[in-house]
Amino acid sequence: MLITLEGIDGSGKSSLHEALKELLADLDPVFTREPGATWVGESVRRAIAEQTDPVTEATLFVADHAAHLAKIVRPALAEGKIVISDRYSDSRYAYQSVTLQGIIPEPERWLRAMHNGWTIVPDRTFLCVLPVDDALTRLKPAGEREHFEKREVLEKVQNNYLEYARAEPSRFVIIDALKDRGEIALFVAEAIREMAKAGTKKGKGKR
Ligand code: TYD
């Protein structure tokens, strides 16, 4: 079972990921993230920091996804594990559609085409949503932010996410990220637990 956590920078999804480690320890999930902990992930972080050109950056994010699937996600799912990823393909569709605007015609279609046929679509995606101004107050001071972390960019990214959630209501669960963090973590942990139970009952523990 593949669960992903998505949302704009400052939406609290990384602290939710941390909280789930404790709350779901008995289910022994594989906790992972994109950009990942491999050398490919490292080059993605370098590309972000150096503000390389948007196509280079986008393709590195896709390369990171390929490495992530090959090294972590596929092997874990093959073992019947629950995989919980902090960011995944929807981050690419939501962010790179914005960074590639005006550079590639129909960036979202291009990005989706790069994934189609080999990526694994998550079983459930928890999308942390909050007003962009609230997200910005949780981020580092303006001078130290990544180039994505600007109001204009994050507004568009969040609108993209909300559009995907409308298009796939059975996959996405929208989380009000202004709620208490502990309350959010308990809700998400319970939802994952229910899915795990339903999956085991149907003999669908493996995917
Ligand atoms: P992340 O490591 O989640 O942020 P943080 O360092 O704040 O924990 O992601 C780094 C940045 O990369 C973040 O601004 C979102 C962006 N990103 C994309 O633009 N596309 C992607 O496909 C992914 C995975 C992340």
Side-chain angles (χ1 to χ4, degrees), residues 7 24 32 85 101 130 145:
L24 295 174
T32 183
S85 186
Q101 202 67 53
L130 78 176
R145 290 183 197 156

Side-chain angles (χ1 to χ4, degrees), residues 9 13 33-34 61 87 91-92 95-96 146 148:
D9 303 76
K13 59 171 186 43
R33 57 173 300 173
E34 290 188 9
F61 273 123
R87 297 198 181 282
S91 282
R92 229 112 44 238
Y95 281 80
Q96 272 61 56
E146 284 160 358
F148 307 105

